[in-house]
Amino acid sequence: MIVDIVISLLILVGATFALVGSIGLARLPDFFTRLHGPTKATTLGVGSVVIASLIHSGAATGGVSLRELAISLFLFITAPVSAHLLAKAALKTRANRSAKP
Amino acid sequence: MSHLPILPVLIPFLTAGLLLATHGMGTGFKRAVSSISVVALVVVSLLLLIESGDGSIRAYRLGDWPAPFGIVLVTDRLAAIMVTLTAMLAAAALLTALSGTDTEGRHFHVFFHLQIAGLNGAFLTGDLFNLFVFFEILLLASYALLAHGGGVTRTRAGLAYVVLNLAGSALFLIALGLTYGTLGTLNMADLARVLPMVAFGDQALVRTTLALLVAVFVLKAALLPLGFWLPHVYTAATLPVAVLFVIMTKVGIYALLRVSTIGFVTAPFTADLLQPWLAWLAIGTIALGSIGALAAARLSVVVANIVMISSGTLLLGVAAGGVNAYAAMLYYLVNTTVVTAGLFLLADRVSRQRGAVADFFEKGPRMAGILATGGAYLILAVAASGVPPLSGFLGKIMVMQSLQETSTAVGAWAAMLLSGFVVALVLARAASRFFWEPGLPDEEASTPEPVRQISSNTGSTDAALSGMIACAIVIVLGAAPISDYMRATADQLARPAGYVEAILGDSPAIRRERRP
Amino acid sequence: MEFLVSAAIGLLTASGLYLILRPTTFSVVLGLTLLSYAVNALIFFGGRLGASAPPLILPGTDGHADPLPQALVLTAIVIGFGMTAYLVALALKAKGESGNDHVDAGEER
Amino acid sequence: MLNFVIPVALAMLAIAMGLNLLRLVKGPSTPDRILALDTLTINTIAVVMLIGITASSAAYFEAALLIAMMGFIGTVALCKFLLGGDIIE
Amino acid sequence: MRIDYLSDMGPLLLNLMLAIPFVGALLVLAAARRSRSAAAWTAAAVMASGLVALVPLLPATLSGDVLTTRIPWLPEWGLDIALRLDGLGLLFTLLILGIGLLIILYAAYYMPAYDRLGRFYALLLAFAGGMLGVVLAENTILMLVFWEITSLTSFLLIAYKYEAFDARIAARMALAVTGGGGLALLAGLLLLGNIAGSFELTVILAKGDVIRAHPYYPVVLVLVLLGAFTKSGQFPFHFWLPNAMAAPTPVSAYLHSATMVKAGVFLLARLYPVLSGTELWLVLVGSTGAVTFAYGAYVAILKHDFKGLLAYSTISHLGLITLLFGLDTPMSAVAALFHIINHAIFKASLFMAAGIIDHECGTRDMRRINGMFKYMPWTATLGILAAGSMAGVPLLNGFLSKEMFFTETVGHFAFQGYATWLLPAFATVAGVFSVAYSARFVHDVFFNGEPVDLPKTPHEPPRWMRFPVEILVGLVLIVGLLPQIAVGSILQAAAGAVLPSGVPEFKLAVWHGWNLPLAMSLAAFGLGLTYYWRRQYLFGLHEKYAPKIASPVAFERVYRDAGRLASWLLRVIDTRSLQRYLATLVVFVCLLGVWAWMSLPGRPLTGPLPSTPVDGAAIAALAGLLVGAVGTVVWHRQRLVAVIFLSVVGLVVSFAFIRFKAPDLALTQLSVEVVTIVLLLLSLRFLPGEVTARSSSLRKLRDGGLALVGGAGVAALTYAMLTRPFETISGYHLANAYTGGGGTNVVNVILVDFRGFDTLGEIAVLAMAALGLHALVDGLRLKPYAESAKRDADRHPVMLAEMMRPLLPLALAVSVYILLRGHNLPGGGFIAGLIAAVAFMLQYLASGIDFAAARMRFDYMRILGAGLLIATATGLASWLFDRPFMTSTFGYVHPPMIEKFELASAMVFDIGVFLVVVASILLALSELGTLSRRELIAKSSSREES
Amino acid sequence: MTLFPRVLPQPTITLGIMGLWMVLAPSASLGNLLLAVILGVSIPWITRSFWPDRPYLARPLTGIVLFVRVVGDIIVASWEVARLVVGPLDRLKPAFIDVPIEIDDPFVATLLASIVSLTPGTVSVDIDRAAGILNVHALNVADEAEMIAAIKRRYEAPLKRVFGC
Ligand code: NA
Ligand code: NA
């Protein structure tokens, strides 16, 4: 029961942060501010769901399962790279646009 | 147990793998491996032809799984005929390639053998989805072979061919998805069992599904509104490839024949699926091929259009159905395959000798060795246009007789007679240009030599040509036994119960699960 | 749900068809890719919608999805990928040789 | 409890994804669109994991793992294209 | 006793007689290598031996017996080597062989000395063989075979002097007309055989009543007549015949007298018992013959070339023979047969004589050739006699049959009452023309003053060149004087074959007393000579008004126009446009589908299944799909944006796979998706968006319509399928995957075991795609698309490069994980291969091709080959256990200290798959990557140069 | 010591792979451990050429402390940023800031940049190694100097210690 509550909380937190990130993406005024949105979804949002899933599968099998951590591992490795490249690309695009006219 | 049925697929497949794994070896090694493989293929296919000659239908269960659940290869007379034809064309094409075209691009031999594997797989498989896979193998190999040698024309023709066929493949998959989703099986024999049991309310869906399948096959067979690609593609290919391509349209016809004889006829609501549109469009295809032949500016285009005409003629046979029509079209098929391949070889020989004007119907240096080349031309032209006394005529009268009772007989006869007439005239004019007309003055005649001639070794091409001519003659002289074999084949085709029994007969009762 | 799935497949098909009728090679590639999505989905859903478990024979599971269409689609995906790769190369080759990316030399636009 | 929470969470994620699609359509710049795609991908991971929790099945884990591993490659490639037109040079 | 022996020999002799010319043709070719005269003697011997073979058969045949033989060949198609010798066949055989022998003799002198004659005689013999086949065939299809052999060989004979334009055209013209007629005949004979139930003449000839009463009779008749008329040069198919004199004179002599044109009338005679006796026959055959008779005669006199004159006279006489058959009385048929003999004799001699004159004068223009009687009196005498026969001068054979003709015109049953006089009058007028052109030939060539400007001085030809002419003119006289003795019996026998119901009593005699026909003859003579006398007036008129069409040129023009028309048509229907092909395909498939559905009325679209409830995720996914698909379409001109939207579609599809319980598919789709995007982006560097080519809005509307219809069709079919339950075999797979295939992941067991053969094919496709791409890109040079050419200074962002390095080993570990567990849980060789490939691909992306390629020195081709071989070898291993290809095996191993695990042959197969996938993708990517590097190297080297 | 790098060129990676494998494996059995060792040895060996230089984990414990701190920061910062995103937008003061860094090793610098990106509110835009500057975009910059100092103090310093540079 407590496990269920923990899992539920984690899921809700995760979903909330994913939503907030996407709201940011939709709402924030320029590209660089929008870029901050997805990081939330990545880190806290998916992170919470991952932990929820981890607990859930552990509880279901009665053992310890850490597989879901692999997801977070890969996300932690890749998300900053994506953000970095997106930022660079945006800078480049902006430079191109301002150089053109 | 006998593994003969799978060898026609396995031999070229292993050869391709071996050639890839040893890809650093020299041209000589590749050619040797390739040749040995093709010789083995010819032997195997002849064995298959003999073995199937007793009228037995054998199922080779891949993975030892019972029939509708696993994939089966089926050897019957028809499959043996197609495999043998493929082997013969392969031998001719390889001989031709050995004169130098194989080194014009990369990986020729790999693609060549995979093309054969694809063709043979398509002819042997008893499973519809497996048929799709082999279609893709042979198509991709053909794309690559078509591009072999490079050049704008080939790329352009290739692009259209590839895209059109990809669209066709998508259609094939749609048809297969619907087939499985309605009938719950992919095995052709099983299809024959299931079709008659389709509930009333589902019949339109099944019928439409099979109609889409038919559309795929007639696209490959170059039926009228879908066949415009054929002359461009066949003409653009290098010679060995064109020779091998001759069998390509036959794959579509074969598949249609297979599916319609095993499947469509077994249920009343699909029995008339090819009626009456196929015959009319086949007539149109013959007309289109005739127009194309008449409009052609070069011999190879004429030959490509002859391929188209023969495709139309064969489809007439499929549309008509029945032992007679099948027997006739099969004899015709053997003839037209051999003869058009021979004509492609001849067109190449003409091109090589005439230098810059190639096989265009233009004034150019007169051919040397008129008696040999001209004689070869005469034999092939006579056989191709259906003028007596060669096999083309025999095929034509067989097909015409077999169509006598159909509702489209008048159109079919007219199309066949007129197309033969046009082809004869066009080929006569070509002969006049190539062999009879005085050549250009000497200084012009000695213009820089042929573009296509890579090595001076054309002996192997000539051997291929001689082989095809020999075959053409054998088809006439052996008309009686060949015709008997074809009739027996047609008998086999017209009795799908035998096929179904051979594939599914001793399987455990097929348990079907209702979904959802 | 059946209606939605059908509509989705129809939508993909229509989009794919429209794109393969465009005059540039790249559009055709896009169109064929969309078309193959549609086709794969069609085959896949041939196993019907209502399954409650993937086709894994694990203890205590039932209501497995139909495995056969899944295997077919897997094959189709890979073949489709191969074809796309080849087509892309061919488009490049055509571009390199004739300087444009029109699908044909004909008049249609 | 989970029976109640998960649908709610899924709905929230659906809204999130809808917002991603909105950005995707609106753009305005190409990086914006790539960013929207990237976010959509990451949100999909969450959805897949939630489905996995619902089904109590391990069969969904690999899919989520793969989206995490592969999803960003598209972003990288698209960005590199914007950076130089040549993604592997 | 002796007779019996011979009649037993009959079938053999008959077959032999037919084989002799064809075998002889080969012998002649061999003999010609030795010498010219060897060729001539061989050819003559061949013809003579044919005649010799005929001798034993003569008595029985003359007495009305019919000899038939039959060697079955393709009985079920009605084609057997069945031969028949009856009176009619005998008559023609004698003509073909007899005149053929003389022609061979004549040609030996006529043909130029440099010609080795091998080809000539071989063709001539083959042609004679074809003719023999036509007249001796019992099987009608066999007859057609030989019929077309004559078309073919005459084509080659006419083109014998192929250096000459006229000869080539004439040959093709003859082929077009006679070959074309042969095709009609083929159709006619097939129909005839169908009606009669057999292709054997014996059967057909006995079923005349059935055939004439059959509804297809008119069709058969017209088709057969087309064959007969084209061959025998009937108007309006006559034009090939005059041109055919481009052939060497011996050939013309043969074609015009005993063969070729005679094949046409032979056919009329052969099928006379079956086809005649109707009004339609009377009208068609009679009128065609009449028109040809008159037309040929009228034109003949206008020809200044004497071979031309003779050619038109042939047309005219063939018209006469046709008219005689058309008159359809027993006596007229006899007359026709008689005139066939007579015409053959005098026309052969005339042509040979003409050949001599041509040979001696070097020209054939009668305006220059005059007074030949003075230079070659003996030849002239022969020519005058033959021409007299042609004109119908009494005491010569031509007179007799013409007189029979006149007799038959009087009181013919078709012209009753006031019309009685019409036919005799017509015959007389036509006779007038015949006399006139004969008169011109005689007077203009042999008399009429001195020759004008001849290239050489004519004199008598060599003795043996004239010999055949002498023989024939001798026959003209013999038949003319002693007709009953000379040809009575053979005519009787031939007539017996043509008139099975009874040959009328006839007596061939020179004198029948004063009667109307004689009066008609005399009138024709008088008027004909007058007509010739006033010819200058006629020539003037002709010069002035007759259209000037040289038929060779006209033929070539028609042919060319046909070619042009065909080209134009082809351009209209085949625009060589892929867009058009695709649109056609869509339309075709839609129409076929709609037809297939609509032709079974009363079937509902929606099936009986209750619908599955819709959930939010599905709606969200649909929204994603909508955005993705529509976005791709809307932005397809902005390449990068289109790729982004396409990725959305891929993501949604993957998600759908997950949602509907297909994890393996989702994994595959996701990985393939990534590789596809990278591939597209690699190509985009060189492919502009749709900048140059814009569709018109009408086209967009059309395509949009097509797309919507197609999409709706697919949606409808899918819906129909989804709302119906079905019964599937896949329960077997679920039930047997673990027990029989050793895996719990049924999809994977299907892929590597149940349907492993598919997978083997699939990896072949993948390998080929990579190899094909390699072959295409090999040596290709491309300019990058302008806007993408500007590159960032920081080509390999350090963050990317650094983070991707640890990712590589980790991803490879995941790949191994996926590979090993695939048999039991989602995964397998494909997905593992894709993951590994993507892991390596990332290094390309992160650090560039130079860095990555330097570290990945794999020989992809070898790996491809190895992968294919491993997969195949796994399949082959089952042969050792006498099991079919790809029979798998598995077992559980339990080493000490380690828990038991499974080993399955399918896993080895999966490793092969893995290798092929990795190698294919990396090969493809590195090759596409090389494209840019190639361009870069080229640029930098050009910079160095400057 | 010469044999060790040849057999195990990347001990860190080896550990990483083994850890990943044991996480992924369905059970922590001996067989799986054996496989983990095999992979942990073989994969780095296969991919050794992709690692021109080897970062050396000097103080693993400090690393764990840093990890916990980062996770904590992520949680805290997330709440702040969430408020910013949902609240009125005119409160935002986004800016690019240049953080001078003293790390030479590109991998470690990348790690720093990643941490900065992972913590909500900041995104690493660029690493200029020549100038020794990490370019960061921040969603809301109240005090630029404080932010730079925080990054250097909380992340850069511990990272330098972990990798001994
Ligand atoms: Na004269
Ligand atoms: Na951050």
Side-chain angles (χ1 to χ4, degrees), chain E residues 19-141:
Chain E
I20 282 171
F22 292 108
V23 177
L26 297 177
L27 289 180
V28 163
L29 276 180
R33 290 171 173 267
R34 185 171 279 270
S35 77
R36 197 176 186 274
S37 63
W41 282 114
T42 311
V46 169
M47 283 285 192
S49 56
L51 279 170
V52 169
L54 190 60
V55 170
L57 305 173
L58 270 174
T61 313
L62 282 176
S63 66
D65 286 358
V66 178
L67 173 65
T68 57
T69 77
R70 189 155 177 282
I71 304 171
W73 189 25
L74 295 167
E76 65 270 33
W77 300 110
L79 179 53
D80 292 318
I81 315 280
L83 301 181
R84 162 196 192 91
L85 182 66
D86 59 3
L88 185 65
L90 178 70
L91 168 64
F92 275 89
T93 307
L94 283 172
L95 287 178
I96 293 161
L97 291 174
I99 295 184
L101 183 57
L102 298 176
I103 295 281
I104 282 169
L105 204 62
Y106 175 77
Y109 292 91
Y110 180 87
M111 297 300 283
Y114 58 79
D115 190 330
R116 306 275 295 173
L117 290 182
R119 183 165 66 98
F120 181 81
Y121 280 134
L123 283 174
L124 199 71
L125 285 175
F127 173 73
M131 278 305 300
L132 277 181
V134 170
V135 304
L136 292 178
E138 155 77 356
N139 182 296
T140 48
I141 299 183

Side-chain angles (χ1 to χ4, degrees), chain B residues 136-181:
Chain B
E136 297 304 299
I137 294 178
L138 75 90
L139 283 174
L140 190 41
S142 76
Y143 304 157
L145 286 175
L146 176 60
H148 183 77
V152 185
T153 328
R154 275 179 202 137
T155 310
R156 280 287 158 197
L159 197 63
Y161 176 66
V162 171
V163 172
L164 200 59
N165 272 304
L166 288 183
S169 298
L171 184 62
F172 201 162
L173 283 174
I174 290 176
L176 288 177
L178 290 169
T179 304
Y180 177 76

Side-chain angles (χ1 to χ4, degrees), chain C residues 1-15 17-27 29-30 33-34 37 40-42 44-58 64-68 70-75 77-79 81-86 88-93 95-96 101-104 106-109, chain E residues 576-580 582-583 611-614 618 622 625-626 629 632-633 636 642-643 646 649-650 657 659-663 665 668-669 672-673 675-676 679-680 683-684 686 688-690 693-695 699-700 703-704 707 710-711 714-715 718-719 721-722 724 726 730 733-734 744-747 750-751 755 762 766 769 772-773 776 780 782 826 830 928 931:
Chain C
M1 188 74 97
E2 279 77 8
F3 183 79
L4 283 190
V5 167
S6 315
I9 290 172
L11 174 73
L12 285 177
T13 310
S15 312
L17 286 180
Y18 182 78
L19 285 177
I20 63 170
L21 294 171
R22 298 300 91 223
T24 52
T25 48
F26 188 66
S27 308
V29 172
L30 291 177
T33 311
L34 282 180
Y37 285 141
N40 293 340
L42 190 153
F44 171 62
F45 285 115
R48 302 300 189 270
L49 304 178
S52 55
L56 303 170
I57 311 297
L58 301 172
H64 300 290
D66 193 342
L68 201 49
Q70 296 194 12
L72 303 185
V73 172
L74 227 153
T75 306
I77 290 176
V78 177
I79 288 179
F81 165 73
M83 293 293 173
T84 308
Y86 188 80
V88 165
L90 195 58
L92 287 178
K93 177 111 171 163
K95 170 73 166 58
D101 67 333
H102 200 283
V103 288
D104 48 46
E107 303 89 68
E108 298 247 326
R109 280 283 182 268
Chain E
R576 293 182 157 235
S577 156
L578 172 62
Q579 288 175 280
R580 173 88 70 98
L582 286 169
S611 66
T612 324
V614 177
L622 190 67
L625 205 64
L626 195 71
T632 314
V633 170
H636 76 270
V643 172
L646 193 69
V649 179
F657 288 146
R659 163 71 180 76
F660 292 99
K661 323 292 174 192
L665 283 190
T668 313
Q669 179 68 58
V672 164
E673 175 78 11
V675 183
T676 308
L679 204 80
L680 288 181
S683 76
L684 273 189
F686 306 101
E690 194 167 344
R694 280 172 182 278
S695 310
R699 269 297 308 281
K700 285 180 182 164
D703 294 343
V714 170
T718 313
Y719 182 70
M721 171 179 78
L722 290 181
R724 285 168 164 81
F726 77 124
S730 64
H733 301 112
L734 285 167
T744 55
N745 180 358
V746 187
V747 174
I750 292 177
L751 281 175
R755 300 186 67 92
E762 182 187 346
L766 203 56
L773 185 145
L776 281 176
L780 180 65
L782 278 169
F830 262 116
L928 283 183
L931 269 182

Side-chain angles (χ1 to χ4, degrees), chain B residues 123-141:
Chain B
F123 292 137
L124 288 168
T125 188
D127 183 282
L128 277 177
F129 192 81
N130 195 236
L131 181 69
F132 164 76
V133 172
F134 279 108
F135 262 57
E136 297 304 299
I137 294 178
L138 75 90
L139 283 174
L140 190 41

Side-chain angles (χ1 to χ4, degrees), chain B residues 1 106 127 130 180 203, chain E residues 163 603 728 755 758 778 882:
Chain B
M1 68 177 302
R106 282 176 169 274
D127 183 282
N130 195 236
Y180 177 76
Q203 288 177 352
Chain E
E163 302 267 349
R603 273 70 163 184
T728 167
R755 300 186 67 92
D758 276 348
D778 192 34
D882 200 30

Side-chain angles (χ1 to χ4, degrees), chain E residues 1-339:
Chain E
M1 210 46 218
R2 195 177 144 77
I3 304 290
D4 279 340
Y5 170 69
L6 276 175
S7 68
D8 289 346
M9 289 292 289
L12 178 66
L13 285 174
L14 202 52
N15 286 318
L16 204 61
M17 210 155 63
L18 189 55
I20 282 171
F22 292 108
V23 177
L26 297 177
L27 289 180
V28 163
L29 276 180
R33 290 171 173 267
R34 185 171 279 270
S35 77
R36 197 176 186 274
S37 63
W41 282 114
T42 311
V46 169
M47 283 285 192
S49 56
L51 279 170
V52 169
L54 190 60
V55 170
L57 305 173
L58 270 174
T61 313
L62 282 176
S63 66
D65 286 358
V66 178
L67 173 65
T68 57
T69 77
R70 189 155 177 282
I71 304 171
W73 189 25
L74 295 167
E76 65 270 33
W77 300 110
L79 179 53
D80 292 318
I81 315 280
L83 301 181
R84 162 196 192 91
L85 182 66
D86 59 3
L88 185 65
L90 178 70
L91 168 64
F92 275 89
T93 307
L94 283 172
L95 287 178
I96 293 161
L97 291 174
I99 295 184
L101 183 57
L102 298 176
I103 295 281
I104 282 169
L105 204 62
Y106 175 77
Y109 292 91
Y110 180 87
M111 297 300 283
Y114 58 79
D115 190 330
R116 306 275 295 173
L117 290 182
R119 183 165 66 98
F120 181 81
Y121 280 134
L123 283 174
L124 199 71
L125 285 175
F127 173 73
M131 278 305 300
L132 277 181
V134 170
V135 304
L136 292 178
E138 155 77 356
N139 182 296
T140 48
I141 299 183
L142 189 68
M143 182 205 283
L144 189 103
V145 169
F146 287 112
W147 181 279
E148 293 290 51
I149 288 180
T150 63
S151 299
L152 200 64
T153 43
S154 66
F155 165 73
L156 296 170
L157 278 171
I158 295 169
Y160 190 74
K161 295 183 283 185
Y162 53 70
E163 302 267 349
F165 172 75
D166 282 354
R168 296 194 304 266
I169 294 281
R172 285 168 47 207
M173 212 189 286
L175 183 72
V177 177
T178 65
L183 292 173
L185 178 60
L186 169 61
L189 290 179
L190 286 178
L191 275 180
L192 191 62
N194 188 33
I195 296 169
S198 166
F199 292 105
E200 308 275 298
L201 272 174
T202 314
V203 179
I204 294 172
L205 292 179
K207 289 200 173 165
D209 293 335
V210 180
I211 292 162
R212 281 186 295 269
H214 197 275
Y216 281 174
Y217 165 76
V219 181
V220 173
L221 181 63
V222 167
L223 289 171
V224 169
L225 289 182
L226 273 175
F229 290 169
T230 48
K231 204 83 164 178
S232 59
Q234 300 297 302
F235 185 88
F237 310 112
H238 63 283
F239 55 90
W240 68 270
L241 188 57
N243 289 292
M245 60 193 187
T249 296
V251 173
S252 307
Y254 202 35
L255 294 184
H256 283 249
S257 61
T259 60
M260 197 68 178
V261 292
K262 288 291 160 59
V265 289
F266 168 81
L267 186 67
L268 292 180
R270 183 45 102 201
L271 295 177
Y272 188 84
V274 178
L275 298 178
S276 73
T278 64
E279 208 164 295
L280 193 61
W281 169 277
L282 187 77
V283 170
L284 288 178
V285 181
S287 60
T288 307
V291 170
T292 310
F293 175 33
Y295 171 81
Y298 167 74
V299 176
I301 196 173
L302 300 169
K303 296 287 154 188
H304 300 304
D305 171 350
F306 58 68
K307 264 182 102 174
L309 182 147
L310 290 178
Y312 273 94
S313 89
T314 302
I315 293 170
S316 174
H317 280 275
L318 266 294
L320 172 57
I321 296 168
T322 305
L323 174 58
L324 280 167
F325 281 118
L327 288 178
D328 208 5
T329 64
M331 246 349 260
S332 68
V334 175
L337 292 171
F338 191 24
H339 197 64

